[in-house]
Amino acid sequence: MTTLLRAGISRRHLMATGAGMAATGLAGLPMRAFAADPVKVAGIYTVPVEQQWVSRIHKAAEAAVAAGAAEYVYTENTANTDYPRVMREYAEQGYKLIVGEIFGVEQEAREVVDEYPDVAFLLGSSFPPDEAHPNLAVFDNYIQDASYLSGIIAGAMTKGNIGMVGGFPIPEVNRLMNAFMAGAREMNPDITFQVSFIGSWFDPPKAKETAFAMIDGGADLLYAERFGVSDAAKERGVLAIGNVIDTQADYPDTVVASALWHFEPTLNAALAKVAAGEFKADNYGVYSYMKEGGCSLAPLGTFEGKVPEAAMKLVAEREAAIKDGSFTVEINDEEPKSS
């Protein structure tokens, strides 16, 4: 499925109105990006745009369209076997920036990138940038800062047994789980963790059944790295911690907190580089750090005032320290294990 979005509001108006820029999430976009014509952006996603991780890229691209910085098309549910073909099609059609995720097609994607040296590629990848592919910049959701803070809250809300359901044990998932576990142990070093991976990025029924098994195994709080986990928590009356997106409104009695990923700083930086003709191989993962505005802890919503004061005090102290650089959350990409 391919969808097209074009700039539909006045760029001049948004340039003159800071409130308008803030409302669309583009407040941090360098002004030179607004001076040129909108950058033609194509998104290629292996899952629906409703999926947590991809939804953040999609949301940032829509904000760029609203601000007049981009024109945007996207294709969702692209099989890995079709991914190189779709990359070539967009490159041939004149798109200047192609975004997406190539975790399952790393080598093939690099072959395509080399065929189109005048096209900028900003792709989610497990590998670092390589000057051998000068038009390929990589990124990832380095939101370990927010995951760590959500773990502190989880540690204060559990009786001591946390279930964690992930997609695949790859660095992108592992580092968030490990940061979460580190935060939880700040409140209770004796917490027991049940860790499982469902082998899919989008299989809510399987994630739900895995979560049920963890609850049967004694978990009274779940880490919802995948869709379906919070549904299990809701049905069984246990708590959950969200990941990447804020689902508190959908699960007001279940989701206590969530670590949010904001892709806007990543995309805005790429758009500015493309507009200036300065795009090159680089690591855009740093724009996901909390100090860059790339992640945050979601509002507690209905759980405001229900989390122990000691935990919230520690969250506030650590958040301030993360932002000023005096505290660093460890990036641990090793596969987390059950206790």
Side-chain angles (χ1 to χ4, degrees), residues 165 194 205-219 222 228-229 231-237:
V165 181
Q194 301 178 58
K206 188 173 183 180
K208 186 177 181 179
E209 288 303 316
T210 302
F212 279 148
M214 290 180 171
I215 296 170
D216 291 340
L222 300 173
V229 177
D231 293 298
K234 179 180 179 180
E235 288 188 23
R236 293 291 182 87

Side-chain angles (χ1 to χ4, degrees), residues 160-183:
N161 192 318
I162 295 178
M164 306 182 69
V165 181
F168 293 92
I170 63 174
E172 293 67 33
V173 175
N174 297 345
R175 74 174 63 105
L176 306 188
M177 284 187 161
N178 283 320
F180 171 87
M181 295 166 80

Side-chain angles (χ1 to χ4, degrees), residues 1 19 42 84-85 141 163 167 179 184 244 269 281 309 326 338:
M1 175 182 175
R85 173 184 60 80
N141 59 328
V244 175
E309 184 178 347
S326 61
S338 297

Side-chain angles (χ1 to χ4, degrees), residues 19 32 43 49 54 84 142 165 203 211 214 230 243 252 283 303 311 324:
R32 64 183 177 185
V49 292
V54 163
Y142 282 88
V165 181
D203 192 343
M214 290 180 171
S230 294
N243 179 58
N283 176 21
F303 282 88
D324 69 22

Side-chain angles (χ1 to χ4, degrees), residues 46-69:
T46 62
V47 293
V49 292
E50 291 81 13
Q51 188 258 15
Q52 298 110 300
W53 197 87
V54 163
S55 73
R56 308 309 287 178
I57 303 173
H58 182 65
K59 178 176 179 288
E62 289 185 315
V65 171

Side-chain angles (χ1 to χ4, degrees), residues 137-283:
V138 297
F139 70 89
D140 207 346
N141 59 328
Y142 282 88
I143 64 169
Q144 65 279 346
D145 298 330
S147 296
Y148 169 81
L149 297 180
S150 72
I152 293 175
I153 293 173
M157 297 296 284
T158 179
K159 296 177 181 178
N161 192 318
I162 295 178
M164 306 182 69
V165 181
F168 293 92
I170 63 174
E172 293 67 33
V173 175
N174 297 345
R175 74 174 63 105
L176 306 188
M177 284 187 161
N178 283 320
F180 171 87
M181 295 166 80
R185 290 189 177 113
E186 287 273 358
M187 299 305 297
N188 180 357
D190 298 322
I191 286 177
T192 296
F193 295 97
Q194 301 178 58
V195 181
S196 185
F197 298 92
I198 63 172
S200 172
W201 292 130
F202 194 73
D203 192 343
K206 188 173 183 180
K208 186 177 181 179
E209 288 303 316
T210 302
F212 279 148
M214 290 180 171
I215 296 170
D216 291 340
D220 68 334
L221 186 146
L222 300 173
Y223 175 75
E225 200 271 327
R226 293 292 100 197
F227 276 155
V229 177
S230 294
D231 293 298
K234 179 180 179 180
E235 288 188 23
R236 293 291 182 87
V238 303
L239 300 177
I241 299 292
N243 179 58
V244 175
I245 63 174
D246 186 4
T247 58
Q248 217 281 322
D250 298 320
Y251 305 93
D253 301 316
T254 302
V255 174
V256 183
S258 297
L260 305 184
W261 183 30
H262 307 294
F263 193 70
E264 286 81 359
T266 305
L267 181 59
N268 295 348
L271 288 170
K273 291 294 186 181
V274 172
E278 299 173 355
F279 190 89
K280 63 180 182 179
D282 207 347
N283 176 21

